[in-house]
Amino acid sequence: MPPSPSADAAVPLPLLRDHDFLRYVAARGLSLVGTITTLIALPVLVYRLSGSASLTALVTALEAAPYLLFGLLAGAFGDRWNRRVTMVRADLLGAALLASVPVAHWLDVLTVPHILAVAFLGPTLAVFFDGAAFGALPTLVGRGRVAQANSYVWTVQNLAEIVVPSLVGLALAFAHPATLLTLDALSFAASALLLAGIARPLQDDTRVRKPLSLRGIGEDIGEGLGYLWRHPGIRTMTIVGFTQCVAGGGFVSLMVVWSDRQLDIGTEGLRFGIVYGSWAIGSIVASLSLPRLLRGTTPARVTLVALPFSAALGVLTPIWTDWRLGALSLLVWSVFYTTVVINSISYRQEVTPEHLLGRVNTAGRMLSWGVGWTGGAFLAGALASTLGVQATMFACTAASFVGVLVAWTSPLARARQLAVE
């Protein structure tokens, strides 16, 4: 089925002068500031309370698990519900959830199970947010500008990832990790207000939606999975994304422990913030470069070239014991890793029909992030106490080489044009 004409309608204003798009970007940026704070604070909080590498890795696994459990369902509802309303409600509920951690800390009743519950429930709300957001962006900006729009969104995200980790690292020397989560709660509330102010529709309001029923939801999910599997480009990039996320999930789940035990920089301070921020510097290079790359080549070629470099650098990074070399290796790895990720997401949004955007994109993210990232994090947690941190990181990051093999023996290599159709 061809995409809806309304989904492809050109937006007359340049993106950086489009107030609705700027509201969307600002909302994502504010929310990301809080999310980055949480991604650092929760593992540090659990590690300080328990001293356990396995429990610290479990936080990362729980943050990714909701995509595995609810990704397909969220995509089906995302294509049915009003996308703006869904995103606003998810943000407001997320604000209330994150606020429970500092409140419990101030009342001296905060426990590790409470933190683990927040680590799971917060991303669960985010899954339903994404089910709407994946379809909202192409409808808001027009399909021809999805890669450019994603570039701006990821640039804002990566600027936050450069600044915020350093600030959080410094703040952890003076403030309790639970107290810092107040920032996350406030950022979600601000994001909800901005999204509520977007004037243009974020879905095709002319499309007839089937009555809601269990059978209908099952058919919706099957339709999304079927499109993903039948489309050679989306199928291959999803498999590649899975292997990348196994590597990334395994590495990130032990990053706090790696920083403390191998890089010997502890879990706070400027050096800790620089190591975390180095990934963001590489990501911003990737996000700004990708639209230019795609003007001269195809998404297939971008994946085929960037993926082997990502795999090699993923295995190289755990070697370092000097924090400066570790930060540099993370930066360069991030350039290639993020290029593959943004390229895959943009390609999927560009070629998927409007009525399938939520289902196909959340299914792809479920298989990569939900299964891959969760699996990598759980694997890291299970192996860390036996193999040690460095050997476990090697085992997880090596999964990227499977993705290289799949990509170079797939339709991406046999028909490298695979341009947006």
Side-chain angles (χ1 to χ4, degrees), residues 210-265:
K210 296 179 291 185
L212 181 63
S213 66
L214 287 176
R215 181 177 179 180
I217 291 296
E219 290 174 350
D220 286 351
I221 291 172
E223 190 178 7
L225 286 172
Y227 185 87
L228 182 152
W229 184 253
R230 289 191 302 271
H231 195 290
I234 294 177
R235 181 179 67 243
T236 302
M237 289 189 182
T238 299
I239 296 171
V240 166
F242 167 79
T243 62
Q244 285 244 112
C245 282
V246 170
F251 187 94
V252 170
S253 68
L254 292 173
M255 195 167 169
V256 170
V257 185
W258 178 65
S259 298
D260 181 38
R261 298 183 185 176
Q262 186 165 320
L263 299 185
D264 195 27
I265 59 175

Side-chain angles (χ1 to χ4, degrees), residues 39-327:
L39 289 175
I40 298 174
L42 284 185
V44 170
L45 188 54
V46 168
Y47 187 56
R48 287 190 183 182
L49 289 176
S50 68
S52 168
S54 295
L55 283 175
T56 304
L58 180 60
V59 174
T60 302
L62 288 173
E63 288 170 340
Y67 252 104
L68 177 60
L69 299 175
F70 307 118
L72 296 178
L73 186 64
F77 280 117
D79 285 333
R80 286 175 171 268
W81 291 342
N82 182 294
R83 289 170 178 156
R84 180 190 294 101
V85 171
T86 300
M87 290 188 289
V88 168
R89 289 178 177 174
D91 270 345
L92 291 175
L93 289 172
L97 179 70
L98 268 297
S100 73
V101 175
V103 169
H105 169 63
W106 297 331
L107 296 175
D108 200 25
V109 294
L110 184 62
T111 63
V112 170
H114 182 166
I115 300 167
L116 295 179
V118 170
F120 176 77
L121 293 174
T124 297
L125 292 170
V127 172
F128 286 89
F129 182 101
D130 283 353
F134 277 128
L137 184 62
T139 308
L140 179 65
V141 304
R143 290 176 185 274
R145 301 194 295 179
V146 166
Q148 183 185 9
N150 275 327
S151 172
Y152 290 139
V153 172
W154 279 72
T155 297
V156 170
Q157 172 180 322
N158 294 322
L159 285 171
E161 289 177 349
I162 292 171
V163 176
V164 175
S166 298
L167 294 177
V168 172
L170 289 172
L172 285 171
F174 307 101
H176 195 277
T179 303
L180 294 181
L181 295 182
T182 305
L183 175 63
D184 200 357
L186 293 174
S187 70
F188 273 114
S191 173
L193 289 174
L194 285 166
L195 291 170
I198 293 176
R200 292 203 304 275
L202 301 180
Q203 64 277 322
D204 180 5
D205 290 326
T206 66
R207 175 162 53 86
V208 177
R209 290 161 175 80
K210 296 179 291 185
L212 181 63
S213 66
L214 287 176
R215 181 177 179 180
I217 291 296
E219 290 174 350
D220 286 351
I221 291 172
E223 190 178 7
L225 286 172
Y227 185 87
L228 182 152
W229 184 253
R230 289 191 302 271
H231 195 290
I234 294 177
R235 181 179 67 243
T236 302
M237 289 189 182
T238 299
I239 296 171
V240 166
F242 167 79
T243 62
Q244 285 244 112
C245 282
V246 170
F251 187 94
V252 170
S253 68
L254 292 173
M255 195 167 169
V256 170
V257 185
W258 178 65
S259 298
D260 181 38
R261 298 183 185 176
Q262 186 165 320
L263 299 185
D264 195 27
I265 59 175
T267 61
E268 61 187 36
L270 182 60
R271 292 181 301 171
F272 181 76
I274 289 174
V275 168
Y276 263 83
S278 63
W279 182 270
I281 296 174
S283 293
I284 201 169
V285 171
S287 61
L288 291 174
S289 301
L290 182 61
R292 294 182 178 88
L293 288 175
L294 291 175
R295 284 197 285 268
T297 187
T298 65
R301 291 181 184 272
V302 170
T303 293
L304 290 171
V305 172
L307 189 59
F309 287 98
S310 176
L313 285 157
V315 173
L316 176 67
T317 299
I319 292 174
W320 308 114
T321 56
D322 184 287
W323 71 271
R324 288 156 292 199
L325 293 175

